[in-house]
Amino acid sequence: MTELSAAHDAAVTDRGRLAGSAYSSDRDLAARQSLYQWQTPRYDLPGIVAEQLSTVRGRVVDVGCGNGKFIQRLREDRPDLALLGLDIAPGILAGVPGPVAVADATRLPLATEGVDAALALHMLYHVPDIAQAVRELSRVVARDGLVIASTNSDRDKAELDDLWQRAAGDILGTGRGPARISLSARFSLEKAPALLGEEFGRVETIELPGTITVQEPEPVIAHMTSYRAWADQHDVPFEATIERARTILAEHLTQHGAFEITCKGGILVCRR
């Protein structure tokens, strides 16, 4: 591992940064989530998760529940389930329908085999010890229960990475600037099956490829700005790079009418 990637990993997993800045409210997470309203095909992620839980009865825990998007949907679709939301960031739990608690994914405050299913959606890359978090998920889920995880591919949103490097290069006067931080790299769609396979005999990957098409800069700029908690990790003036990206994007839209971003995320359904 290079010194830079080690520093990025430390920043992506730093609890103080996650609880105190990145997820102190749902502002930045909501900005990242909202970009997908311009995706084709449109995936109803909470609906897909609810469908995977169709045979589950009893207790479900959402580990790293964030702003409660999945819990909210499950409360509507599956009022029969006993739902619990856990997150390390107290601020982001404020708007989540309870019960919720502040908890660490590597030390879950749950009995062994105490739940019938566990969700770990777009969050395992934030855990310093992913293997320990996977062991904890395995510990708390009943023998015949399931774990549903999700993440993005290593190739997800490559056009945004390119836009950032162009903008950063312009600001630094270096041609192409340094890469922007990748949140999901430590637990990408490519790496996840092996990491989950340490505890689960069957790991099924449901790939969700798509294309986001925008006609105006704002959704993309809001998404890029949502990384502000890691501004110090980009080795480039953050705000200036964002503004340069806005200009490059505006020029592209004037010329081409649309900006396309290739997306690839996925859901992993784990059983013993």
Side-chain angles (χ1 to χ4, degrees):
M1 183 186 288
T2 67
E3 202 176 312
L4 181 63
S5 65
H8 279 190
D9 283 1
V12 168
T13 59
D14 179 71
R15 185 169 183 161
R17 190 187 300 253
L18 295 172
S21 177
Y23 301 103
S24 57
S25 73
D26 91 325
R27 176 188 62 176
D28 291 338
L29 177 59
R32 287 197 286 281
Q33 290 169 339
S34 70
L35 186 61
Y36 290 97
Q37 63 191 288
W38 285 276
Q39 179 174 299
T40 313
R42 285 286 294 276
Y43 295 107
D44 175 14
L45 275 183
I48 293 170
V49 170
E51 198 182 311
Q52 291 298 323
L53 292 172
S54 61
T55 59
V56 171
R57 302 286 176 270
R59 289 156 297 186
V60 176
V61 62
D62 187 350
V63 180
C65 67
N67 55 10
K69 195 170 78 154
F70 292 90
I71 285 180
Q72 217 136 4
R73 178 63 171 272
L74 287 170
R75 288 212 180 286
E76 293 164 16
D77 289 11
R78 293 293 307 279
D80 58 302
L81 293 174
L83 298 166
L84 170 65
L86 301 177
D87 205 281
I88 61 162
I92 207 166
L93 290 172
V96 181
V100 295
V102 176
D104 189 315
T106 59
R107 293 190 305 277
L108 294 172
L110 299 167
T112 299
E113 297 191 24
V115 298
D116 300 284
L119 310 179
L121 304 168
H122 277 74
M123 55 71 64
L124 281 168
Y125 40 72
H126 283 313
V127 180
D129 188 342
I130 293 171
Q132 174 58 22
V134 172
R135 285 193 290 273
E136 274 292 88
L137 290 167
S138 176
R139 179 186 70 78
V140 302
V141 170
R143 295 302 305 168
D144 59 348
L146 78 159
V147 167
I148 302 175
S150 68
T151 187
N152 292 326
S153 163
D154 286 324
R155 298 184 299 282
D156 181 61
K157 301 186 192 70
E159 294 85 355
L160 289 194
D161 296 330
D162 181 63
L163 176 61
W164 177 270
Q165 287 187 279
R166 280 182 62 195
D170 287 353
I171 294 300
L172 297 174
T174 57
R176 280 181 78 74
R180 72 188 189 124
I181 197 165
S182 168
L183 297 186
S184 54
R186 300 175 62 250
F187 184 78
S188 65
L189 206 53
E190 290 76 12
K191 296 187 181 96
L195 291 162
L196 294 163
E198 291 293 320
E199 289 290 326
F200 298 96
R202 288 183 291 156
V203 179
E204 177 202 354
T205 303
I206 302 168
E207 293 187 356
L208 305 170
T211 304
I212 289 170
T213 307
V214 296
Q215 267 94 32
E216 55 187 59
E218 216 33 63
V220 171
I221 297 304
H223 185 281
M224 291 178 113
T225 306
S226 76
Y227 285 75
R228 75 188 100 216
W230 295 278
D232 63 321
Q233 294 298 306
H234 290 81
D235 303 312
V236 67
F238 186 75
E239 297 298 338
T241 303
I242 292 282
E243 285 313 307
R244 180 62 193 142
R246 187 194 300 272
T247 303
I248 294 170
L249 201 48
E251 288 168 359
H252 178 96
L253 290 169
T254 300
Q255 205 177 337
H256 302 283
F259 181 70
E260 291 193 345
I261 303 160
T262 312
C263 296
K264 189 175 178 189
I267 287 177
L268 303 109
V269 183
C270 315
R271 294 180 172 84
R272 289 203 168 70

